[in-house]
């Protein structure tokens, strides 16, 4: 009887210890995995500042993108588009306008810019610029200027 009690005590002591050891090993593995994920996430991120502008003068409208600053080497793909419309409606976007011209840069380095310059054709119209860009392996993104009314001479009248 004493032997049976000792055997039962041993079994009830060993099983929880084995479970705790396995659980502790799993926790250490999870901690190691978490640490390696954190180490990956603290790698330097690319910081790029792109400036999108829309301007007019001398009967011309110019849309431009400039890579103002890039921290660490990176590939900055940029697609610049210029849109125009003779009319404006509330809530209008570039989707309601006509694409005038498109220009791309496969790698816009810091300090470089791309631009599109077109004639107003002597008419007062609404203009908008759109930039789509992708930095290294990040997801593509876009920015769009406000819709701007420019006079025939290229002078800004109003922003919408």
């Amino acid at each position: 009887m004493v032997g049976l009690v000792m055997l039962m005590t041993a079994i009830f002591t060993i099983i929880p210890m084995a479970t705790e050891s396995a659980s502790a090993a799993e926790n250490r593995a999870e901690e190691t995995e978490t640490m390696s994920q954190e180490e990956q996430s603290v790698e330097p991120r690319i910081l790029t500042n792109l400036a999108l502008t829309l301007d007019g003068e001398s009967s011309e409208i110019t849309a431009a993108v400039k890579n103002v600053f890039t921290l660490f080497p990176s590939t900055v793909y940029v697609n610049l588009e210029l849109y125009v419309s003779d009319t404006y409606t509330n809530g209008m976007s570039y989707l309601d306008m006509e694409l005038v011209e498109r220009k791309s840069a496969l790698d816009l380095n810091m300090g470089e810019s791309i631009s599109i310059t077109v004639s107003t054709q002597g008419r007062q119209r609404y203009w908008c610029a759109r930039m789509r860009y992708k930095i290294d392996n990040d997801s593509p993104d876009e920015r769009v200027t406000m819709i701007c009314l420019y006079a025939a001479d290229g002078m800004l009248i109003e922003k919408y």
Side-chain angles (χ1 to χ4, degrees):
M1 183 81 140
V2 174
L4 185 59
V5 170
M6 287 178 59
L7 180 62
M8 297 284 277
T9 304
I11 291 173
F12 288 119
T13 305
I14 293 172
I15 290 175
M17 288 174 64
T19 306
E20 287 177 18
S21 295
S23 179
E26 287 176 18
N27 287 342
R28 281 193 300 277
E30 286 176 15
E31 287 175 13
T32 303
E33 185 178 327
T34 302
M35 285 175 54
S36 66
Q37 288 174 352
E38 287 173 1
E39 288 171 5
Q40 291 173 359
S41 67
V42 290
E43 288 181 16
R45 297 288 300 164
I46 305 302
L47 172 66
T48 301
N49 181 1
L50 299 174
L52 172 63
T53 58
L54 182 63
D55 197 18
E57 67 177 357
S58 303
S59 299
E60 293 181 326
I61 304 298
T62 300
V65 175
K66 181 175 183 175
N67 183 338
V68 179
F69 178 78
T70 299
L71 181 64
F72 302 116
S74 63
T75 301
V76 182
Y77 171 79
V78 177
N79 186 33
L80 176 63
E81 299 171 339
L82 182 61
Y83 293 85
V84 68
S85 177
D86 290 327
T87 60
Y88 176 82
T89 57
N90 213 9
M92 188 164 102
S93 79
Y94 72 90
L95 296 170
D96 304 309
M97 303 173 82
E98 176 187 341
L99 176 63
V100 176
E101 192 171 331
R102 175 182 293 140
K103 192 171 192 179
S104 297
L106 296 178
D107 187 9
L108 193 64
N109 293 314
M110 186 167 77
E112 292 180 352
S113 62
I114 60 171
S115 63
I116 298 170
T117 301
V118 298
S119 170
T120 63
Q121 298 176 342
R123 299 185 349 223
Q124 174 177 304
R125 297 194 285 177
Y126 299 88
W127 298 86
C128 178
R130 175 181 179 225
M131 165 183 67
R132 290 182 294 145
Y133 62 97
K134 184 174 183 329
I135 301 169
D136 290 329
N137 294 323
D138 289 347
S139 298
D141 207 350
E142 73 172 28
R143 278 192 230 149
V144 181
T145 65
M146 296 178 73
I147 296 175
C148 300
L149 176 60
Y150 282 95
D153 65 358
M155 300 305 296
L156 177 65
I157 297 173
E158 191 171 353
K159 293 182 179 184
Y160 298 90

